C-alpha cells in the first residue's frame, strides 16, 4: 500500500470504528443489567437518522455555534495522524507533534464545543460548558504528569518512540512508574468519556450533566457531528492507552495490505476489551456527588506524581 493510503487509513479507521465501539459498550452494559439493550450497530443508525434531520440554531447564536462541531470533528480527525493507530513505524505526518500536541488538539476540540454551548444562552448548555472547563483545569495537569513520567522512562514524548520502548520487552510494562502512569491515564479516560464518577453515559440528569449538556441545543447534522466526535474521542483515548502504554503489539510493521488490515482488526479487538472493562466498572460503582469529582481526579493526580517519584527512587 502507498504510504499516503496507510496514513489516511488511520483517521478513517477511528472515524468508522468509533460508533461501533460505543455501541458494543452500550450493549454490554445493558446485558450486565439484565436488559436486552440496543443493537451494537445502533449508533450508526442514529447518526444516519440525525444527518437526515433539520438543523436549528437558537435565536441570537453566532456563527461560532455552528462552527464548533465542525472544528471539533477536524481536531478528532487530526489526532490519529500523530499516534500509532495501525503502524509501529512513524508515518510522514506522525512526527508533526508529540503526545502533548495531541493532547492540546483534543483540548481545543473540547474548548470549541464548550464555547459553542455557551453561545446558546441555554442554562443547561452553559452549565455543562462551565463544568467541563472547570474540571478540565484539574484533569490536564494529570495528563502532563503522565506524559512527563513516561517521557522520563523512554527519553522522548513522541508516541511512536514511547510505543517502541514498551514493545521492546514485557519488563517495560511492569516498571512500577509505568504502571502508575498508565493507571492515572485510565482514571482520566473514565472521566473524559463520561463513565464515572458523576455522569452516567448519555445521561440527561441535570445534576450530573457535563458532556451531554454541552450538545443540548444542537440538532440534525450538527448534533450528529458532536455525537460522532464524542465516540471518536473515546476511541482515540483507548488507542493511546493500548497502543502507547499497555499493549502496543499487533501494529503493522510493513505497508503490506494484509498486515494493515490485520492491524485494523486487532485495534478494534483491543478497544472492545478496554470497553468491556469500562462497562464492568461503570456498572459496579454508584455515581458520586458532583463535588466528589475533585477527589476522583486527585487520586489520578496522586498516581501520576507517584509515578515520577517512583522513577527517581529506583522504580522506573
Amino acid at each position: 500500500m502507498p504510504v499516503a493510503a496507510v496514513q489516511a487509513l488511520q483517521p478513517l479507521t477511528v472515524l468508522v470504528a468509533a460508533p461501533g465501539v460505543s455501541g458494543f459498550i452500550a450493549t454490554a452494559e445493558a446485558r450486565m443489567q439484565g436488559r436486552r439493550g440496543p443493537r451494537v450497530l445502533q449508533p450508526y443508525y442514529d447518526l444516519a437518522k440525525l444527518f437526515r434531520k433539520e438543523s436549528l440554531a437558537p435565536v441570537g447564536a453566532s456563527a461560532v455555534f455552528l462552527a464548533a462541531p465542525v472544528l471539533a470533528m477536524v481536531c478528532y480527525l487530526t489526532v490519529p495522524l500523530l499516534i500509532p493507530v495501525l503502524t509501529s513505524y512513524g508515518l510522514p505526518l506522525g512526527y508533526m507533534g508529540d503526545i502533548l500536541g495531541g493532547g492540546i488538539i483534543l483540548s481545543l476540540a473540547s474548548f470549541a464545543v464548550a464555547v459553542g454551548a455557551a453561545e446558546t444562552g441555554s442554562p443547561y448548555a452553559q452549565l455543562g460548558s462551565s463544568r467541563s472547563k472547570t474540571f478540565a483545569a484539574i484533569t490536564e495537569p494529570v495528563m502532563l504528569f503522565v506524559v512527563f513520567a513516561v517521557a522520563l522512562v523512554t527519553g522522548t514524548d513522541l508516541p511512536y518512540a514511547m510505543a517502541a520502548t514498551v514493545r521492546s520487552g514485557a519488563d517495560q510494562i511492569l516498571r512500577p512508574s509505568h504502571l502508575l502512569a498508565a493507571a492515572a491515564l485510565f482514571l482520566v479516560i473514565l472521566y473524559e468519556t463520561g463513565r464515572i464518577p458523576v455522569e452516567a453515559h448519555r445521561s440527561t440528569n441535570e445534576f450530573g450533566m457535563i458532556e451531554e449538556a454541552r450538545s443540548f441545543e444542537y440538532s440534525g447534522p450538527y448534533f450528529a457531528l458532536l455525537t460522532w466526535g464524542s465516540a471518536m474521542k473515546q476511541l482515540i483515548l483507548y488507542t493511546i492507552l493500548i497502543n502507547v502504554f499497555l499493549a502496543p503489539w499487533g501494529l503493522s510493521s510493513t505497508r503490506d495490505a494484509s498486515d494493515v488490515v490485520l492491524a485494523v482488526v486487532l485495534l478494534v479487538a483491543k478497544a472492545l476489551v478496554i470497553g468491556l472493562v469500562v462497562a464492568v466498572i461503570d456498572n459496579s460503582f454508584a455515581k458520586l456527588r458532583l463535588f466528589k469529582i475533585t477527589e476522583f481526579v486527585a487520586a489520578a493526580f496522586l498516581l501520576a506524581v507517584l509515578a515520577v517519584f517512583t522513577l527517581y527512587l529506583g522504580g522506573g
Side-chain angles (χ1 to χ4, degrees):
M1 294 180 65
V3 67
V6 180
Q7 183 83 80
L9 192 58
Q10 292 211 142
L12 183 62
T13 299
V14 174
L15 181 72
V16 175
V21 173
S22 295
F24 172 81
I25 296 175
T27 302
E29 287 187 345
R31 297 295 172 84
M32 292 176 189
Q33 296 168 4
R35 300 182 290 108
R36 180 177 180 181
R39 294 171 291 182
V40 174
L41 300 180
Q42 187 61 45
Y44 296 101
Y45 295 110
D46 292 341
L47 290 175
K49 180 177 66 175
L50 287 172
F51 276 115
R52 292 194 300 266
K53 287 182 174 288
E54 181 184 5
S55 294
L56 301 175
V59 177
S62 68
V64 175
F65 174 78
L66 299 180
V70 179
L71 177 58
M73 181 60 75
V74 171
C75 291
Y76 294 135
L77 288 172
T78 303
V79 176
L81 298 174
L82 308 177
I83 61 176
V85 178
L86 301 177
T87 64
S88 59
Y89 56 90
L91 294 170
L93 299 180
Y95 295 103
M96 289 193 308
D98 54 19
I99 197 168
L100 284 178
I104 291 173
I105 295 174
L106 289 177
S107 297
L108 175 61
S110 178
F111 176 76
V113 175
V115 172
E119 276 284 312
T120 66
S122 167
Y124 286 147
Q126 291 182 335
L127 179 68
S129 175
S130 175
R131 285 175 174 175
S132 67
K133 293 298 98 185
T134 299
F135 297 135
I138 308 173
T139 57
E140 287 173 1
V142 180
M143 291 295 295
L144 289 175
F145 264 94
V146 168
V147 174
F148 182 55
V150 177
L152 288 175
V153 174
T154 62
T156 178
D157 57 356
L158 290 173
Y160 284 97
M162 289 181 173
T165 302
V166 176
R167 218 170 27 248
S168 64
D171 59 314
Q172 299 293 333
I173 298 179
L174 298 178
R175 292 173 182 260
S177 58
H178 185 88
L179 291 176
L180 289 169
L185 176 62
F186 184 67
L187 292 181
V188 172
I189 290 175
L190 290 178
Y191 163 73
E192 289 289 344
T193 54
R195 299 292 174 178
I196 200 173
V198 297
E199 184 185 17
H201 191 61
R202 308 292 297 178
S203 170
T204 55
N205 179 6
E206 64 271 17
F207 292 108
M209 282 199 304
I210 300 177
E211 186 73 23
E212 290 301 311
R214 297 190 300 173
S215 58
F216 206 73
E217 293 294 327
Y218 285 95
S219 59
Y222 292 100
F223 183 55
L225 289 178
L226 288 178
T227 304
W228 203 344
S230 179
M232 289 179 64
K233 175 185 175 182
Q234 176 178 256
L235 183 53
I236 289 170
L237 292 173
Y238 287 2
T239 301
I240 294 175
L241 180 65
I242 58 182
N243 279 355
V244 177
F245 284 84
L246 294 181
W249 293 280
L251 298 171
S252 175
S253 59
T254 68
R255 286 186 289 163
D256 187 73
S258 59
D259 289 344
V260 175
V261 171
L262 179 61
V264 173
V265 174
L266 291 177
L267 171 69
V268 175
K270 289 187 288 187
L272 293 181
V273 172
I274 296 294
L276 186 61
V277 173
V278 169
V280 171
I281 293 175
D282 199 19
N283 280 273
S284 302
F285 292 89
K287 298 303 174 184
L288 305 176
R289 293 184 179 182
L290 185 66
F291 67 86
K292 290 287 187 179
I293 193 171
T294 54
E295 298 179 9
F296 180 84
V297 180
F301 182 75
L302 179 61
L303 289 175
V305 173
L306 284 176
V308 177
F309 276 100
T310 302
L311 180 64
Y312 278 112
L313 294 175

